[in-house]
């Protein structure tokens, strides 16, 4: 039975890794070879699409073009980093303070606020799209990076995650600190924040996964392409399909590396949330 379970896990791992292998294979193919395999998609005629994991003529020309011949790649890459970094920083500042406040207010008020937060969390972007557009238009923030960052800073998900992390901490820690004469602020930054580090990392990773790949917000709120994130940049028309595969692989591997570095904290943070 254990062998069957191990085999099943190996098969699932291969299935999950196949999209990444697919992108990498396409990124080291020449444009002619990619077009040959994907004629059913780009050839203008109906036929089965084939693919191979071992290119006949592997080449790194797509990465050379992407990294050396396309300056827009770096502009939009830094745009994505700025968007994600500002959103995560803003979310943590607001969420940490709001979550801690929820743990010390009256239960009746807290339950109402948590219910409202949960309802807002369940609303997809398609529901919030028009109200956000109208508000940003009235504030004069359309076609501006601030118009992308500001609405996402007030996301309710990190508040809920950090609240459950704070509320799961033993009450004896706070009581002992209060007996020793610690103020509420000292309890917050000396006990609450250090214990909630896994939850903070969980919020960071979830925000990174969501906003590193965002498409709808910049596409709707920003017309100036110089402010676009990297997800909206497609070099296919100018440089060929190989460069598009290379860019997609770089986008994916960047997030994957960060996730692997913080995986232990992420798992610990999720375990705290699941217990609640």
């Amino acid at each position: 039975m254990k062998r069957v379970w191990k085999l099943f896990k190996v098969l699932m791992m291969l299935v999950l890794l196949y999209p990444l292998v697919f992108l990498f294979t396409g990124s080291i193919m020449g444009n002619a070879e990619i077009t040959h395999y994907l004629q059913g998609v780009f050839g203008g005629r109906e036929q089965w699409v084939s693919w191979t994991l071992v290119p006949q003529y592997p080449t790194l020309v797509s990465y050379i073009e992407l990294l050396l011949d396309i300056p827009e790649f770096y502009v939009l890459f830094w745009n994505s980093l700025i968007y994600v970094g500002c959103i995560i920083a803003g979310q943590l500042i607001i969420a940490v303070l709001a979550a801690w406040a929820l743990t010390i207010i009256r239960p009746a008020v807290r339950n109402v606020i948590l219910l409202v937060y949960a309802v807002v969390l369940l609303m997809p972007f398609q529901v919030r799209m028009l109200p956000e557009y109208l508000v940003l238009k009235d504030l004069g923030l359309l076609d501006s990076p601030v118009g992308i960052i500001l609405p996402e800073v007030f996301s309710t998900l990190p508040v809920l995650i950090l609240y459950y992390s704070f509320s799961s901490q033993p009450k004896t820690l706070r009581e002992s600190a209060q007996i020793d004469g610690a103020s509420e602020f000292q309890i917050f930054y000396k006990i609450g924040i250090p214990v909630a580090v896994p939850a903070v990392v969980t919020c960071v990773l979830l925000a990174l996964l969501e906003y590193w790949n965002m498409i709808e917000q910049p596409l709707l709120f920003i017309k100036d392409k110089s402010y676009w994130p990297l997800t909206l940049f497609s070099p296919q028309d100018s440089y060929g399909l190989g460069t598009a595969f290379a860019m997609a692989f770089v986008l994916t591997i960047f997030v994957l590396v960060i996730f692997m570095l913080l995986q232990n904290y992420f798992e610990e943070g999720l375990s705290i949330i699941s217990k609640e």
Side-chain angles (χ1 to χ4, degrees), residues 250-265:
V250 171
L251 273 171
T252 306
I253 204 69
F254 177 80
V255 178
L256 183 61
V257 169
I258 296 178
F259 177 82
M260 292 177 64
L261 292 175
L262 301 177
Q263 181 181 1
N264 293 334
Y265 290 103

Side-chain angles (χ1 to χ4, degrees), residues 162-180:
L162 289 169
Y163 163 72
Y164 288 121
S165 176
F166 287 143
S167 61
S168 65
Q169 296 175 3
K171 294 183 179 180
T172 54
L173 288 177
R174 295 191 186 186
E175 294 173 353
S176 299
Q178 290 173 347
I179 293 174
D180 292 337

Side-chain angles (χ1 to χ4, degrees), residues 17-272:
L17 288 177
Y18 180 78
L20 189 63
V21 176
F22 176 83
L23 289 176
F24 177 72
T25 303
S27 68
I28 59 175
M29 280 186 185
N31 290 324
E33 190 174 358
I34 296 176
T35 304
H36 169 73
Y37 286 115
L38 300 181
Q39 284 183 356
V41 179
F42 302 103
R45 56 181 179 176
E46 294 184 0
Q47 67 178 63
W48 288 102
V49 173
S50 61
W51 194 252
T52 180
L53 299 180
V54 182
Q56 291 182 347
Y57 307 102
T59 176
L60 297 177
V61 67
S62 297
Y63 288 99
I64 295 174
E65 289 181 345
L66 181 67
L67 300 176
L68 300 180
D69 297 337
I70 307 179
E72 295 89 351
F73 170 78
Y74 293 99
V75 174
L76 301 187
F77 180 81
W78 282 110
N79 285 348
S80 294
L81 287 181
I82 291 172
Y83 285 138
V84 173
C86 292
I87 290 173
I88 291 176
Q91 282 186 354
L92 290 181
I93 293 174
I94 294 174
V96 168
L97 297 176
W100 185 262
L102 286 173
T103 62
I104 60 178
I105 62 176
R106 290 183 296 176
V109 179
R110 178 173 62 238
N111 292 336
V112 173
I113 295 176
L114 291 176
L115 178 61
V116 174
Y117 273 32
V119 172
V120 174
L121 179 62
L122 294 175
M123 293 182 181
F125 175 73
Q126 290 77 10
V127 176
R128 301 181 284 109
M129 177 176 61
L130 181 58
E132 285 187 13
Y133 180 87
L134 295 176
V135 171
L136 293 174
K137 182 179 180 181
D138 290 340
L139 295 175
L141 296 178
L142 289 178
D143 204 23
S144 168
V146 180
I148 301 297
I149 297 170
L150 188 60
E152 306 305 330
V153 164
F154 297 95
S155 174
T156 59
L157 179 60
V159 178
L160 294 175
I161 292 175
L162 289 169
Y163 163 72
Y164 288 121
S165 176
F166 287 143
S167 61
S168 65
Q169 296 175 3
K171 294 183 179 180
T172 54
L173 288 177
R174 295 191 186 186
E175 294 173 353
S176 299
Q178 290 173 347
I179 293 174
D180 292 337
S183 64
E184 190 66 34
F185 180 74
Q186 290 175 324
I187 297 174
F188 168 66
Y189 80 87
K190 288 186 176 181
I191 297 178
I193 295 297
V195 177
V197 167
V200 172
V201 174
T202 301
C203 294
V204 171
L205 285 177
L206 291 176
L208 176 64
L209 292 174
E210 180 176 359
Y211 300 114
W212 183 254
N213 299 310
M214 64 178 173
I215 295 177
E216 296 92 346
Q217 297 93 322
L219 191 61
L220 291 172
F221 299 155
I222 294 182
K223 296 180 181 179
D224 189 350
K225 293 184 178 181
S226 64
Y227 292 142
W228 277 6
L230 193 56
T231 49
L232 295 182
F233 177 57
S234 176
Q236 173 183 335
D237 297 333
S238 302
Y239 296 92
L241 292 169
T243 310
F245 273 95
M247 189 199 69
F249 181 77
V250 171
L251 273 171
T252 306
I253 204 69
F254 177 80
V255 178
L256 183 61
V257 169
I258 296 178
F259 177 82
M260 292 177 64
L261 292 175
L262 301 177
Q263 181 181 1
N264 293 334
Y265 290 103
F266 182 70
E267 293 176 353
E268 187 176 349
L270 289 182
S271 65
I272 295 174

